[in-house]
Amino acid sequence: MRAIILAAGLGLRLQQPPEEQFPKCLLSFDGVSLLERHLQLLDAAGIDDIVIAVGFKPERVRDELERLDCDPFPEMVLNLDYQLGSVLTVHTVAEALTRGGDVLLMDADVLYDARMIDALVAGTNVNRVLLDRGFEAGDEPVKLCLKDGVPVEFRKQLAVGLDYDTIGESVGFFRFREDTARRFAEIVAGYVDGGRSNMPHEEALRDLLLEGHHPFDIADVTGAPWIEIDFPNDVARAGNEVLPRLQRTVGVTR
């Protein structure tokens, strides 16, 4: 199983002065960067085939990996046009998506509990998406809507009158079987070839989920602590509310 970590973005919404900006995956909590936590949790799950999609200040990410003395050293793939949409970042790692085997696709800017990795990697021959039904309402969460267990929408904004029986927030972590990963890469390539490189990769994921040819298992992780870090108040919440609740994992939390 291979993990692809999307860590190319600039994180403008953190409102840092330009001279202080750095990749969000290097945000540190209790002395441990988000990237280090990703790597430690993946290692605990037995996954050491790791690809990191970088863009903004990639040398800072490499410095962190060298500091961690990673072995094997994660593969770094550079998206020079990282300021466009994240769909282009996914397209940049298309080879890693399609080289064979199951693939995990993970946002880098998430502080999360080890149980989420456990839910993601459990079992064999499965596509999986993580769902948190305890999300806060608003325009920011990417919402996954289900009808009889089948995805019917995957967007921040929902159409009026949408018919669903379950709704939750996507954690931003996905598992693809080999054939599904290839199909996702094809959808992403269609976005890029069609002049839609500025789109978020969630739109391509929506197409994959809703076309129905590759059924997805829905892993309900409601109650497990996690937070996606986009805004300054997210940093404060991550340190004050989420970090103290994380399940203890050797080498990760203190």
Side-chain angles (χ1 to χ4, degrees), residues 12 14 23 35 38 40 45 66 105 111 114 137 148 157-158 177-178 182 202 228 232 241:
L12 283 173
L14 288 180
L35 180 57
H38 272 296
Q40 291 279 6
E66 291 176 349
L105 185 72
L111 179 66
D148 298 326
Q157 303 289 339
L158 303 181
R177 295 185 316 221
E178 183 174 332
R182 286 197 301 268
E202 286 86 358
E228 180 182 8
E241 300 175 24

Side-chain angles (χ1 to χ4, degrees), residues 1 42 47 102-106 114-123 126-130 172-176 217 219 221:
M1 191 177 295
L42 289 167
I47 300 170
D102 283 9
V103 177
L104 307 182
L105 185 72
M106 310 176 71
R115 285 169 287 183
M116 293 190 168
I117 286 289
D118 295 340
L120 202 60
V121 304
V126 62
N127 300 308
R128 183 168 289 138
V129 57
L130 303 188
F173 297 168
F174 300 83
R175 175 176 171 179
F176 306 131
D217 172 70
V221 295

Side-chain angles (χ1 to χ4, degrees), residues 7-11 18 21-24 54-61 78-79 82:
L10 175 57
Q21 291 173 345
F22 56 87
K24 280 198 293 182
V54 295
F56 178 63
K57 294 187 177 180
E59 70 281 356
R60 294 287 299 272
V61 177
L78 177 62
N79 175 16
Y82 62 88

Side-chain angles (χ1 to χ4, degrees), residues 87 184 187-188 191 200-209:
V87 76
F184 182 50
I187 294 172
V188 167
Y191 272 70
H201 71 285
E202 286 86 358
E203 282 297 296
L205 283 165
R206 177 181 183 269
D207 292 348
L208 178 68
L209 287 166

Side-chain angles (χ1 to χ4, degrees), residues 140-154:
E140 190 60 29
V142 176
K143 303 163 189 71
L144 175 62
C145 299
L146 311 174
K147 179 69 173 180
D148 298 326
V150 178
V152 294
E153 188 53 285
F154 183 75

Side-chain angles (χ1 to χ4, degrees), residues 65 98 127 244 252:
L65 295 174
T98 59
N127 300 308
V252 178

